[in-house]
Amino acid sequence: MKRISSLLAAVSLPLFLTGCLFDNDDDAPTVEPPPPPEFANVRVIHAASDAPLVNITANDAILNGLESVDYQVASSRFEVETGTYDIGVTAILPGENAEVLQADVTLEADMNYDVFAVGSVADDSLMLLPVTSEETAVEAGNAQVQIVHAASDAPTVDIYVTAPGAALADEQPLATAAFMDATGLVQVPAGDYQIRITPAGSTDVVFDSGTVALADGADLLVAATNNVGSGDSPVTLLVADGTSAVKLWDADATADIRVVHGISDAPAVDVIANNAVTLVDALAFPAATGYLSVAPDDYLVDVVADADNSVVAIDDAAITLETGMSYTAIANNTLAAPELDLLADMPRRVATEARVRIVHASPDAGSVDIYVTADGNIDSVDPAFAGVDYTTDALAETGYVGLAAGEYVVTVTAAGTKQPAIETGLLMLEAGSLYTAIAVNGSMEAAPPQLILMDDF
């Protein structure tokens, strides 16, 4: 466990000699050494689903390296010297950051402090939730669990922790918890369990972990958080063991994938998985599907002519789709040399910003500069992204860029020039929205590149 003896700086205590250098007086005062410091255990969890990345401070200094902390991330558990600290949460915003939460927290020796950022930015319910417990050793043969309801979108729930397959009608919930409630530390024999969550007083399961193993000696914090991934469950469990944290998805959670036809000289296509399942039928350039829910798995994907499935453009492209994740598959390049690229999407919406992603899938455009301006005038403006190349190894993209809400023009030029190849016109971007633009070849030979606009465009 990492120990921080001071959050701000190490304190050096000078030693002073009393009396004459050669004085052997037995009555000289005795200097008592200071008592050894005492420590508390601290962990910080970002559980506010529409909040941006944040920095965590204590007495106005970054706490234990906690910068740019994302949603559903829990820090390791670390030791902090006892005392009272001004804990702050600074939101990373487009333009200028701002402290959005503050609390004075007194840390006592041998106590655990799990500090959650919970609630919602959109409805002004964002707050700090400290969850405390006394440091307790896990008995041999047991696992120790503490459960926190940190999902602001979920109602009061019953939480069942049972043997796998046990009938809920025959079981009592481990806890009934409203938002921001927490159990104490609960020790159970190590082994296999099933965690199920229902609305309070009901046996209708809204989250089912399937079989999970609680290891001998495990000391776990389990937090219900708003689900921002795929699947129908309203919650995802965040499981932290003091060193790292993982997301525990509902057993029925899927993966989501959408497909973009970005090959300008190709006909309408079908997309077939594992030579058996038609995921997409008759998709023409430059169209895109909505998200399709599929089982998480490894797939071999064929892209074939819709008019004649024996005409194969892309054969056995290997992709892996993981539970809870969303993806965009882009067929790109030319019919003579087709490519299929899989991009991981981040569909979480952030209330303080518009999130924009631009993907370069136009081989005709070559290396480009991308400008994002208020009025489209790029004469005296540096590109937001310079020298972005079309590549066949992996499509170049900007990632998700947070912009303040407002009107913007996206302009794409050949790298090093100011001559627009693509210009969107004035776009109104709203906070809490997602915008994806994919640059592809023009619809006809020698036509300029164009943008496929997706999500909230």
Side-chain angles (χ1 to χ4, degrees):
M1 187 176 296
K2 185 172 181 181
R3 172 163 291 181
I4 300 177
S5 58
S6 172
L7 295 172
L8 302 179
V11 177
S12 176
L13 298 177
L15 300 178
F16 295 94
L17 299 179
T18 60
C20 176
L21 182 62
F22 299 104
D23 189 355
N24 293 321
D25 189 349
D26 291 339
D27 295 330
T30 301
V31 177
E32 294 291 337
E38 296 183 304
F39 295 88
N41 306 313
V42 176
R43 176 168 44 199
V44 177
I45 303 97
H46 187 333
S49 58
D50 67 347
L53 275 64
V54 297
N55 298 332
I56 311 299
T57 61
N59 297 348
D60 297 323
I62 294 294
L63 173 63
N64 197 37
L66 294 174
E67 296 182 272
S68 298
V69 180
D70 205 351
Y71 176 61
Q72 290 178 326
V73 169
S75 75
S76 61
R77 177 177 279 172
F78 52 94
E79 291 186 322
V80 177
E81 193 171 345
T82 56
T84 299
Y85 296 94
D86 174 3
I87 302 297
V89 176
T90 299
I92 299 175
L93 305 174
E96 185 175 357
N97 298 343
E99 185 175 78
V100 292
L101 294 175
Q102 184 278 331
D104 291 329
V105 177
T106 299
L107 306 181
E108 298 181 358
D110 302 321
M111 295 291 291
N112 299 323
Y113 295 87
D114 291 308
V115 183
F116 289 78
V118 298
S120 170
V121 175
D123 65 11
D124 201 28
S125 63
L126 197 66
M127 67 185 71
L128 285 177
L129 171 66
V131 175
T132 61
S133 61
E134 187 173 352
E135 187 174 4
T136 304
V138 184
E139 296 180 5
N142 282 357
Q144 182 166 262
V145 178
Q146 184 173 34
I147 300 175
V148 181
H149 186 335
S152 59
D153 291 343
T156 301
V157 296
D158 289 336
I159 303 168
Y160 293 83
V161 180
T162 70
L168 289 190
D170 300 330
E171 301 288 337
Q172 291 297 315
L174 175 68
T176 297
F179 174 51
M180 298 196 300
D181 284 349
T183 69
L185 299 177
V186 179
Q187 295 201 20
V188 297
D192 289 343
Y193 290 89
Q194 186 175 6
I195 303 170
R196 284 169 284 186
I197 298 174
T198 71
S202 169
T203 55
D204 295 332
V205 176
V206 296
F207 176 89
D208 182 351
S209 69
T211 299
V212 295
L214 299 183
D216 187 355
D219 190 358
L220 304 176
L221 174 73
V222 180
T225 61
N226 294 331
N227 179 23
V228 295
S230 61
D232 295 329
S233 177
V235 300
T236 302
L237 297 188
L238 185 65
V239 182
D241 64 5
T243 301
S244 59
V246 297
K247 291 178 225 179
L248 185 60
W249 301 96
D250 180 75
D252 292 330
T254 59
D256 286 349
I257 185 171
R258 59 186 177 181
V259 180
V260 177
H261 188 328
I263 303 176
S264 62
D265 61 345
V269 298
D270 298 341
V271 180
I272 300 173
N274 295 340
N275 298 316
V277 179
T278 299
L279 295 177
V280 179
D281 181 54
L283 182 66
F285 175 84
T289 70
Y291 281 111
L292 312 168
S293 294
V294 300
D297 208 342
D298 296 326
Y299 290 92
L300 294 176
V301 174
D302 297 331
V303 179
V304 301
D306 173 61
D308 182 357
N309 284 184
S310 68
V311 179
V312 179
I314 298 173
D315 185 30
D316 285 350
I319 64 172
T320 297
L321 307 181
E322 298 183 3
T323 303
M325 294 293 292
S326 299
Y327 302 89
T328 299
I330 305 174
N332 64 95
N333 209 345
T334 64
L335 186 56
E339 302 277 344
L340 185 69
D341 286 82
L342 187 70
L343 306 182
D345 297 341
M346 299 173 60
R348 183 171 79 92
R349 297 170 182 271
V350 176
T352 55
E353 64 191 39
R355 304 182 74 209
V356 178
R357 178 172 64 163
I358 302 171
V359 182
H360 187 348
S362 172
D364 287 355
S367 183
V368 301
D369 294 339
I370 302 172
Y371 297 82
V372 181
T373 61
D375 57 6
N377 185 349
I378 63 173
D379 290 344
S380 59
V381 178
D382 292 331
F385 305 93
V388 181
D389 294 316
Y390 173 80
T391 61
T392 56
D393 291 338
L395 290 179
E397 60 158 309
T398 61
Y400 289 85
V401 179
L403 298 176
E407 294 181 334
Y408 295 90
V409 176
V410 177
T411 307
V412 181
T413 71
T417 77
K418 294 291 186 177
Q419 181 61 42
I422 303 174
E423 188 173 70
T424 61
L426 206 60
L427 303 172
M428 173 57 74
L429 305 184
E430 298 181 354
S433 296
L434 296 171
Y435 302 94
T436 297
I438 303 173
V440 296
N441 286 348
S443 298
M444 297 181 294
E445 187 175 354
Q450 60 185 309
L451 292 177
I452 299 174
L453 302 179
M454 304 173 68
D455 295 321
D456 295 328
F457 274 125

